[in-house]
Amino acid sequence: MRKILFFCVVLLMFIEPVKSQIINSKPLSERLTGYSFDVRLDTLERTVTGTMSAWWVNNSDDYVPDIHLHLYMNAFSSNRTTFYIEKKGSPGNDEDDYGWINMETLSDRNGLDLLPLMNYISPDDGNADDRTVARIMLPEPVAPGDTFFMDTRFTTKLPSEIIRTGFNDDFYFVAQWFPKFGVYEKAGMRYAVEGAWNCHQFHAQSEFYSNHSVYDVKITVPSGYVVGTGGMLLARDEKEGFKTLTYRAEDIVDFAWTAWPGYVEFSEQWRHVVITLLVPPERIHQVTRQMTAVKNALEYLSDNVGPYPWPHLTFVDPPSKASGATGMEYTTLFTTASYDIIPESIRLPDMVTVHEFGHAYFMGIMASNEFEEPWVDEGINSFWESRIMDHYYGKNSGMIDLGWLKLSDKSYQRLPYITSPYRQFADNTPASWEYPAGTYGMMNYQKAATWLNTLMGLTGEETMNNIFREYYRKWAFRHPSGKDFVDVVNEVVIREQGDRFPDGMDWFFSQTLYGTGLCDYAVSSVLNTESEEENDESGSVVTDSTSAGGEERVYESQVLLTRLGEVFLPVEVLIRFSDGSEITEYWDGMERFKEFTFKGPREVDWVIVDPEYRITMDINYINNSFAVNPDRLPLKRIFGRLMSFIQFILVFFTV
């Protein structure tokens, strides 16, 4: 039997499947990992039990002596795991609450028992009670170009507390559920000086890092259950109260699935993609908005970054009792988040759908290392989320549009960063579990999205799109690092705007990505004095302005700008004069103070720094403007709307 299985796995490496991808990412012979499963969901024991055959190709020049595996489900096995120590919690008190994974058998291609050669390691923190990473010391190293095969019979117990994965009553979300290869980084890949396994423990503040893999998955569940996966359904067999579903997925970095009798299934077509949506019955009225949101994201990213390469996509809106499974991504399967009753003017469900789909690009296609550089996925994805939401739902109302109250997604991203007391605690370089004082989300979602929006403000939208098109072209179905992204930015900016930024954008990244400084421009003062000197026409437009004696008045106007923060970025300054004329000045922002002086028959009425709001990193927009004779009515309106917004938030999140 094992010889037959071995032959089948080898055959899969060199032939195209019957139902192939429309857009093939790479030849099967270049794929580094593959998995084949035959498993059963036991709804009484809350387990997934079955067999897995897997292979890993050594594409390095190294003789690799060991294999590293993720056993993520062991994070739920006790309150002493790294996951729960970091969460300061526990999986529960009853045996049914715990989650774990147990390999009953483990053998190589020759039938050699590998279990005695396996031990648990804790590469991140040395926690002996954490068993989320296993190492198999091989009897012989895997030579360059060779393939390691393994077979295992395993049981995965799902936890009762759904944190991305688990069960509640008859609902199951099955993720991080099987022994999974780490990524062997050969010398020169990302930051690797020499070849080594990159296989981190399961942390409370981290996600995942995997190779693009081929998955052949056979799942048996009770007949009444509706199943959703990240694969394409190839076969269905039903008998004696159970059904067996066979799926295939190619070049995805993870395979997750869900089963629940209550799902209602909807399907629509977008270009080459069949979209499947699973929702609880009480949210059927939200199907149209959810389908619209995912199609918006598909269209925008396909047109501005690169093509969506798979012919299928499944997304899930879990029921209220399974809220812990919401807002998570597994390339061709993701979960959104909604409520039974939520008006369309509050676009939280739409935003979650757009955001989680976007991970198909920046976690899935790019396969970045979310453990070590979470901003490369979460920050970039949040940036594109803001663009998609504001493009389709309104420039100033991408998140909320209540008529009297509007909020763009760009502002929704910016506000947590500019208001956080911890915004200078770290830059964007720590590993995900190393961020202090709960700053992980703010730094890697909101701050990163904000400086990326600022980068677009400086370079322009078309150049920013070309940056990501080149990033996609170079790094799709590979493993880019943050430095690889920076290199692409420099390459495209120098090519397209060499005279403007002749040395690229390293000066920008040193302050934003690699820095902790703040950006804050302010108009300190505007002083108009009548001058006895002759008009030197240093203003732009000259109009008649005479004194009572018939002589032309000449004014000297001084505009003083201040850079209050450490970050310096080039910025435009709009100046309006008493005759209605306007001029735009340019300030490189490098000095702490900048003075503009104008002499002529007109006074300065008001000044705005960054009138187009290109520098979204500026933490205080209020001090960006100064009017000599301010109109108090707009201020009253802003204050009234702010108070209404605060009341709305308090009511919304306490209901």
Side-chain angles (χ1 to χ4, degrees), residues 39-40 218-227 236-247 260:
V39 296
R40 175 182 291 264
K218 185 178 291 187
I219 303 170
T220 300
V221 298
S223 293
Y225 276 72
V226 179
V227 176
R236 176 190 181 103
D237 182 37
E238 191 162 355
K239 59 184 177 182
E240 298 179 358
F242 291 90
K243 61 183 176 184
T244 299
L245 307 170
T246 302
Y247 298 91
W260 181 47

Side-chain angles (χ1 to χ4, degrees), residues 74-90:
N74 284 338
F76 303 94
S77 61
S78 80
N79 61 0
R80 300 183 303 277
T81 67
T82 295
F83 183 87
Y84 274 107
I85 289 173
E86 292 175 350
K87 280 182 65 68
K88 298 178 174 60
S90 168

